[in-house]
Amino acid sequence: MRHCKRGRHLGRTSSHRKAMLQNLASALFLTEREFDPAIDPNVPKTPGQIVTTLAKAKEVRPLVERCIRIACQSLQAARDAEQYATRAARGTEQWRQWRHSEQWQRWAQARAAVVTARRRVLRLLRNKEAMRVLFERIAPRYENRSGGYTRVLRLAKPRLGDAGPRALLQLVGKHDRVLRKSVRPAVD
């Protein structure tokens, strides 16, 4: 019997499997960051998608969805905290006054939910850069969406070497098809 053995093993130990899924999720989020071709030559062809095997894509999808959901839920708390924040530069006299005021207490209390969400995502991903991209670029895009942030598309060509089935793991909304109304040609 398979009690407490859900999910795919993918031919790896549990620690190796967990690290691999964290790396896949981080790689998906990192395709959305800003790239400078002069500094980093590994610019992705299409941001918001990665190519992997079908089994890995199906297994990493719940992790990606959970991270995006956590980030989206913290956006309202970030906006609430913004009204108590100061525009003064850190270390200035005006900032010190704000730091010891009632305004700072309210800001810290409102910001607590955002900090907790960031820590939860960091625990899932183990990558600070991927977490930053998720909270700054990806989560605002999906704020009004209640789920289904990713899609898995099976590719026609198998992987070279072992002919494993490949798949695209994509963020929804970036590569959506646009429905166009067909127009009949005019008949003379």
Side-chain angles (χ1 to χ4, degrees):
M1 290 191 214
R2 290 180 48 89
H3 294 301
C4 298
K5 296 189 186 302
R6 68 178 176 84
R8 296 167 182 83
H9 293 286
L10 303 172
R12 290 162 172 82
T13 62
S14 61
S15 60
H16 185 182
R17 184 172 51 251
K18 183 179 176 184
M20 181 194 62
L21 295 178
Q22 288 171 347
N23 288 338
L24 281 172
S26 297
L28 179 64
F29 294 142
L30 289 176
T31 61
E32 290 281 329
R33 70 177 179 213
E34 288 186 25
F35 285 92
D36 185 7
I39 298 172
D40 189 6
N42 297 324
V43 179
K45 291 178 185 174
T46 52
Q49 73 181 24
I50 57 172
V51 178
T52 183
T53 63
L54 185 62
K56 288 179 193 175
K58 287 180 178 179
E59 198 63 26
V60 76
R61 187 176 183 182
L63 175 63
V64 171
E65 301 261 344
R66 186 178 311 123
C67 291
I68 294 174
R69 183 177 42 83
I70 291 169
C72 287
Q73 289 173 346
S74 73
L75 291 176
Q76 184 60 43
R79 279 195 298 275
D80 293 345
E82 199 62 34
Q83 66 185 359
Y84 302 116
T86 183
R87 301 284 178 243
R90 189 178 182 127
T92 61
E93 187 58 37
Q94 184 182 5
W95 183 85
R96 286 191 195 104
Q97 288 175 355
W98 172 76
R99 178 66 173 82
H100 297 292
S101 68
E102 179 74 22
Q103 198 80 352
W104 182 83
Q105 294 289 334
R106 291 182 186 158
W107 176 82
Q109 191 171 8
R111 187 84 179 147
V114 179
V115 173
T116 302
R118 284 180 171 263
R119 287 178 179 165
R120 284 179 63 195
V121 169
L122 188 60
R123 236 176 78 197
L124 292 172
L125 292 180
R126 299 280 185 210
N127 189 328
K128 288 184 181 180
E129 180 71 15
M131 179 200 63
R132 187 184 59 76
V133 170
L134 171 64
F135 277 85
E136 292 175 6
R137 293 179 151 244
I138 298 171
R141 193 184 323 156
Y142 296 117
E143 185 174 14
N144 297 325
R145 192 179 181 103
S146 60
Y149 310 112
T150 58
R151 75 168 66 95
V152 175
L153 297 172
R154 186 187 295 246
L155 294 176
K157 290 188 178 180
R159 186 168 59 184
L160 288 176
D162 64 351
R166 294 187 314 154
L168 276 177
L169 180 63
Q170 288 182 338
L171 294 173
V172 173
K174 199 80 165 171
H175 309 283
D176 291 344
R177 292 181 184 163
V178 178
L179 293 177
R180 295 185 199 130
K181 193 169 188 174
S182 61
V183 179
R184 287 188 166 185
V187 179
D188 291 330

